[in-house]
Amino acid sequence: NTTVYGNFEQNGVFNRNSTSFPNVKITFAGTTIISGATSLILHNVDILAGATLNGATGISGGSYDMYVTGNWNNLGTFVPGTGTVNVQYASPPGWTTQNITQGNSPFYNLKINKNIIVAPQNNIIVQNNFTILIGNWTAAAFNLNVGGDFNNAGTFTAGTGKVILDGTINQNITTGGSHLY
């Protein structure tokens, strides 16, 4: 496990993906600005209560992408910038579900690109695009707010949660054959 209490600077690729140890996680405490990284691959992500994580691998909310192979648990604040949080890459053996607890902080773009069930644990807000390339988003009773386009090429299992399109310009919807509640 790795805990970051301040700024994190990495020149090159930071890969904290450990598929051999499913409980390995990176925990953010205090205020953390990630900079210098060209790619950030993390397994389980915990943002502690009172902590702030600025950016998806960019200074103060940059435009780079972050890749998460395990659970996302935000009890603090995540400042997304204009990057994409990607649920991607291999999970530990035996994993069939990744849980997403967004807390009170939105994602800018959220992309599912992994053949796994992704299960929100609360309402999810995506300021821009929500995309499922492969995999299954299982909404249960949770709402999904989308400010940009809704693109599904995988499976969207609606449950009783609503998809709320709240953008300020035209939004495209591609359901991929899945039904919305």
Side-chain angles (χ1 to χ4, degrees):
N1 292 340
T2 302
T3 301
V4 179
Y5 290 98
N7 293 343
F8 176 81
E9 184 171 347
Q10 170 68 31
N11 293 314
V13 175
F14 178 75
N15 185 342
R16 190 62 180 97
N17 178 13
S18 177
T19 57
S20 301
F21 303 98
N23 295 320
V24 171
K25 61 187 168 185
I26 186 163
T27 302
F28 296 98
T31 298
T32 303
I33 297 174
I34 298 177
S35 64
T38 57
S39 181
L40 187 66
I41 302 169
L42 304 172
H43 188 52
N44 289 320
V45 174
D46 280 333
I47 303 171
L48 300 180
T52 299
L53 174 59
N54 286 310
T57 69
I59 297 174
S60 297
S63 61
Y64 297 101
D65 292 347
M66 178 182 291
Y67 299 89
V68 180
T69 67
N71 296 323
W72 177 277
N73 185 32
N74 180 10
L75 302 175
T77 301
F78 173 63
V79 181
T82 57
T84 300
V85 173
N86 295 276
V87 177
Q88 192 168 322
Y89 297 115
S91 292
W95 274 43
T96 58
T97 303
Q98 283 183 236
N99 294 321
I100 306 290
T101 304
Q102 184 181 46
N104 293 321
S105 301
F107 295 110
Y108 185 72
N109 293 309
L110 181 60
K111 184 185 294 183
I112 313 305
N113 190 17
K114 180 180 187 176
N115 195 12
I116 195 166
I117 296 169
V118 179
Q121 303 299 300
N122 61 352
N123 293 330
I124 302 294
I125 298 171
V126 180
Q127 294 173 322
N128 197 37
N129 297 327
F130 174 81
T131 304
I132 305 171
L133 293 177
I134 59 172
N136 182 340
W137 179 270
T138 303
F142 300 111
N143 293 337
L144 172 65
N145 287 61
V146 180
D149 294 339
F150 178 96
N151 299 302
N152 176 31
T155 302
F156 183 88
T157 304
T160 58
K162 297 176 185 175
V163 174
I164 300 166
L165 301 172
D166 57 5
T168 57
I169 60 173
N170 291 344
Q171 293 177 260
N172 296 310
I173 303 170
T174 306
T175 64
S178 294
H179 298 282
L180 306 179
Y181 181 74

